[in-house]
Amino acid sequence: MSPQDLAIVRNRTFDEIAVGDSASIERTLTAEDIQLFAVMSGDVNPAHLDAEYAASTRFHGVIAHGMWGGALISAVLGTRLPGPGTVYLAQTLKFLRPVRVGDTLTVRVCVSTRDEAKKRLTLACSCTNQQGEAVIDGEATVLAPTERIERAATTLPEVRLRTADGLPRLLAHVRPLAAIRVAVVHPCDALSLGGALDARAAGLIVPVLVGPRARLLAVADEAGLDLSGIDIDDVPHSHAAAARAAEMAGKGEVEALMKGSLHTDELMSAVLAAGAGLRTARRLSHCYLMQTPAYPRPFILTDAAINIAPTLAEKADIVRNAIDLAHAIGVAAPRVAILAAVETVNPAMPATLDAAALCKMADRGQIAGGVLDGPLAFDNAVSIAAARVKGIRSDVAGQADVLVVPDLESGNMLAKQLEYMGDAATAGIVMGAKVPIVLTSRADSRETRIASCAIALLLAHRYRSVRP
């Protein structure tokens, strides 16, 4: 079909149509299609929207609404054959097989009878999937147009789904947990100080402000923030604040750390210092927990903040840390996609070699608790349709819970693209130490700071339960 054909919608009149004439379209089902159909129809049956429930049904996973396929038949009748001017009179449908996310349907109508006197057509209707299996079968009766209609195709508005309840759902999930004592390290600007107070107001943390008392009071006074009832550990500068906070965490006086207005390197150096007692056998790594309107589930992106050019051994710890976070938020067997620019192993591209090695480490039990696959290009990791086009058969492709980037630069750019252009909600946490570390940026929103503290609360209680 030429670009001009796509820009024009035209019909075929009754006199131009013969028995045996047919028309068809193809459509690949996405998670967004299911959500949009639910919004439009009000059909919120959990078989279509709740992955956990759907897994327990006879279909063992989410399926499309049956009438989604029926709507596609209507689209063929109204835009292709007969096209504009068609009046629907009757439709029968038999639903033969479920349609799943990533399935590509060929939707076809074929004229079976003509009623010259009434200008009516009967058309056999069918939907078949990419395996050629019949999904829907039926018959339509329409009143065909008698006059030629040709119009410019209407430009439809872009519809973007946004899950607006991400933060409320997270807060509801952690609400039964008692607030944890958190050392807020050098919060000497209004954003970081206000973020700590917001998390306190949300019932997530009991903040201990570690920094120069006079400066903290001045910031609070200028920003109109109330510090009454909040402990302040008075130290002279940011280096001292980082060292003191790490010492408190090492002694068990606080259960988490939260970065204020100091540089990340200062805080991480104090955490890694030999005397702090916060190191584990794991490499420290940063995880973004993200939720974007374009993806049907929250996912973890790592590492975009700490490890600049991680080695294979360091990447293995990055993966292990991400799997631990996924377990903490309730994903029992997270699907981990090791990202690269391509989905094949190429000796000239080290990221693909590392991806293959990590997957083999998982096969040998060196990385446990998740399902790994890689190398996977980004599109293959998050789109079942893209993976299918490239012939990738994988339990991870198209439905990743964790995205592991090759290096900090690629991860940082991807995270910010998702946040600023993909409308993603984010929370950030450092894994691999004996306590969770909330590592926020000056540009982070209030919601991001609160969500990050909620994750720290969740992890701190988890760490409590596994300590001897």
Side-chain angles (χ1 to χ4, degrees):
M1 186 173 291
S2 70
Q4 184 177 2
D5 289 332
L6 291 173
I8 298 294
V9 177
R10 57 173 63 90
N11 69 355
R12 294 170 64 183
T13 66
F14 180 86
D15 292 337
E16 296 173 324
I17 298 173
V19 171
D21 285 353
S22 65
S24 64
I25 61 173
E26 279 193 1
R27 179 72 65 83
T28 298
L29 178 68
T30 67
E32 290 74 24
D33 290 329
I34 295 177
Q35 292 168 339
L36 280 169
F37 196 91
V39 170
M40 178 191 70
S41 66
D43 183 352
V44 293
N45 182 340
H48 310 305
L49 301 170
D50 186 331
E52 183 179 357
Y53 169 81
S56 68
T57 68
R58 59 183 293 189
F59 301 113
H60 306 295
V62 167
I63 60 172
H65 301 77
M67 289 307 296
W68 178 77
L72 297 183
I73 292 172
S74 176
V76 182
L77 295 170
T79 64
R80 302 291 176 85
L81 182 68
T86 299
V87 177
Y88 234 141
L89 298 176
Q91 176 76 64
T92 62
L93 293 172
K94 293 180 181 178
F95 301 100
L96 307 175
R97 283 182 174 81
V99 180
R100 306 179 189 278
V101 172
D103 282 352
T104 299
L105 296 191
T106 299
V107 184
R108 185 173 182 268
V109 300
C110 181
V111 178
S112 54
T113 66
R114 299 172 78 253
D115 184 335
E116 184 73 37
K118 296 182 178 180
K119 307 299 182 187
R120 291 184 178 184
L121 300 173
T122 303
L123 301 98
C125 308
S126 65
C127 299
T128 55
N129 63 22
Q130 64 276 5
Q131 276 87 39
E133 299 168 329
V135 171
I136 298 175
D137 193 14
E139 186 177 81
T141 303
V142 303
L143 183 63
T146 57
E147 296 181 356
R148 186 73 168 170
I149 300 173
E150 185 171 299
R151 306 281 294 180
T154 301
T155 301
L156 296 176
E158 180 183 6
V159 178
R160 299 189 70 183
L161 294 171
R162 181 177 180 84
T163 304
D165 64 346
L167 179 57
R169 286 180 64 190
L170 177 59
L171 293 179
H173 181 67
V174 301
R175 187 169 293 121
L177 303 176
I180 56 172
R181 191 170 167 86
V182 176
V184 186
V185 188
H186 201 258
C188 293
D189 63 9
L191 284 173
S192 55
L193 187 56
L197 297 184
D198 285 340
R200 179 197 187 214
L204 302 173
I205 70 172
V206 178
V208 179
L209 309 181
V210 186
R213 177 185 294 271
R215 190 171 172 189
L216 291 170
L217 293 175
V219 170
D221 184 62
E222 184 178 349
L225 302 173
D226 183 8
L227 299 186
S228 58
I230 296 178
D231 291 343
I232 298 178
D233 198 310
D234 189 14
V235 295
H237 46 65
S238 59
H239 287 286
R244 173 64 183 138
E247 179 188 5
M248 294 170 69
K251 291 180 178 179
E253 297 173 7
V254 296
E255 292 188 83
L257 301 176
M258 183 176 182
K259 176 179 172 286
S261 57
L262 76 172
H263 196 277
T264 297
D265 286 348
E266 280 187 90
L267 179 56
M268 290 300 102
S269 294
V271 169
L272 293 171
L278 293 177
R279 301 187 73 160
T280 68
R282 293 271 182 88
R283 178 86 177 181
L284 265 63
S285 63
H286 183 268
C287 292
Y288 274 118
L289 179 61
M290 311 192 85
Q291 187 168 17
T292 176
Y295 200 60
R297 67 184 67 83
F299 61 94
I300 296 166
L301 176 66
T302 188
D303 176 341
I306 292 181
N307 294 284
I308 297 174
T311 63
L312 176 61
E314 291 165 352
K315 286 182 179 179
D317 272 351
I318 288 171
V319 172
R320 294 181 185 111
N321 287 339
I323 290 174
D324 283 352
L325 177 57
H327 291 167
I329 62 174
V331 183
R335 294 175 286 258
V336 182
I338 315 298
L339 298 184
V342 296
E343 63 279 354
T344 53
V345 176
N346 185 336
M349 303 176 73
T352 67
L353 299 175
D354 285 350
L358 290 167
C359 292
K360 184 53 66 176
M361 291 172 73
D363 289 343
R364 295 291 186 266
Q366 293 172 266
I367 298 173
V371 181
L372 275 64
D373 195 12
L376 288 172
F378 181 78
D379 57 342
N380 304 323
V382 300
S383 168
I384 292 176
R388 179 171 288 124
V389 166
K390 294 188 177 181
I392 298 172
R393 294 183 177 274
S394 165
D395 292 330
V396 175
Q399 48 189 346
D401 300 301
V402 179
L403 303 175
V404 180
V405 298
D407 53 40
L408 184 147
E409 287 184 314
S410 59
N412 193 274
M413 286 187 282
L414 178 56
K416 289 177 179 176
Q417 286 165 359
L418 288 168
E419 183 176 3
Y420 288 97
M421 300 184 73
D423 228 6
T426 66
I429 202 79
V430 174
M431 304 287 293
K434 290 184 178 179
V435 298
I437 302 167
V438 177
L439 199 62
T440 52
S441 163
R442 285 172 294 177
D444 282 340
S445 67
R446 173 180 179 271
E447 289 76 14
T448 292
R449 294 172 189 273
I450 292 175
S452 299
C453 287
I455 297 299
L457 172 64
L458 196 64
L459 288 167
H461 279 268
R462 184 178 179 85
Y463 294 170
R464 261 189 218 171
S465 67
V466 298
R467 285 193 189 114

